[in-house]
Amino acid sequence: VKGAPDPPALMLTRQQWKAIQQIHVAQAQGDDESLTEALKVAHQNQAPKSEILAYKIAALERRLGGKYQLPSSWSVSSLVSGAASLFDATALVRGPRNLALFQTLFDKTYRDTRTRDRRGPVPGGFKVDSVQEVRNVGWFKEYGKRREWLQRQKTDSPPKVPSELLTWDASHQIMKDSKLDPLQPGEAFLLHGTSARNAVDIVNGRFDVSLGSDQGLA
């Protein structure tokens, strides 16, 4: 790694010094496994507090966040370290205004339609009690790759999302109020309903697009 050398090792514990060396090696190799493992080791050796190690950790987190194209509001360390490496769910709605916006999404997009997941009597509507943001690094990396591929395609004009999309107005305000990254050209905030069991399967990596339809109904 180019730049000024690290201060003498005596300012760090032996394990902290080793953690920094592992970060240097991982940065040189550049693969996901080496980078995430180096971050885990660094976090495990933060005590006693070391400004040097903290600086190295912050630089590595910025690199991983950029590599994965993760939203700026996501905590890289919580998502790539330990048990939360693949999946994390955090409260997204913290006030009645945002909860009302999600209620608007459900009200505007509700359809009296039977689907594979909606059996028996069809409800007349839905009441939003709470909202969580599911953060799954694996799925987001795949989404980022696809988005990057689409953006590289040579087209006469950037992709556009129809302004009459039912989720258009409320979703843009939700993105802003929740401090989520703005939508890029061609992106849209969509609402997808499914059963509680299927929702668990989706976050555990079993998202089967063959179960969908052209109308977006599962």
Side-chain angles (χ1 to χ4, degrees), residues 41-102:
V41 172
H43 273 288
Q44 292 168 0
N45 291 284
Q46 288 189 94
K49 184 177 180 181
S50 166
E51 293 185 2
I52 305 166
L53 184 58
Y55 174 81
K56 295 292 184 180
I57 288 175
L60 185 53
E61 289 178 347
R62 287 194 298 271
R63 176 166 179 174
L64 280 168
K67 184 180 180 67
Y68 295 161
Q69 299 185 49
L70 299 180
S72 58
S73 59
W74 288 21
S75 170
V76 176
S77 292
S78 67
L79 290 166
V80 300
S81 302
S85 61
L86 292 179
F87 166 73
D88 188 28
T90 183
L92 176 62
V93 173
R94 299 178 179 83
R97 169 181 167 80
N98 227 346
L99 196 64
L101 288 170
F102 275 97

Side-chain angles (χ1 to χ4, degrees), residues 169-186:
D169 294 332
S171 64
H172 276 71
Q173 194 60 50
I174 287 172
M175 301 291 285
K176 181 179 179 180
D177 290 1
S178 302
K179 298 181 179 179
L180 299 175
D181 292 348
L183 295 173
Q184 298 185 22

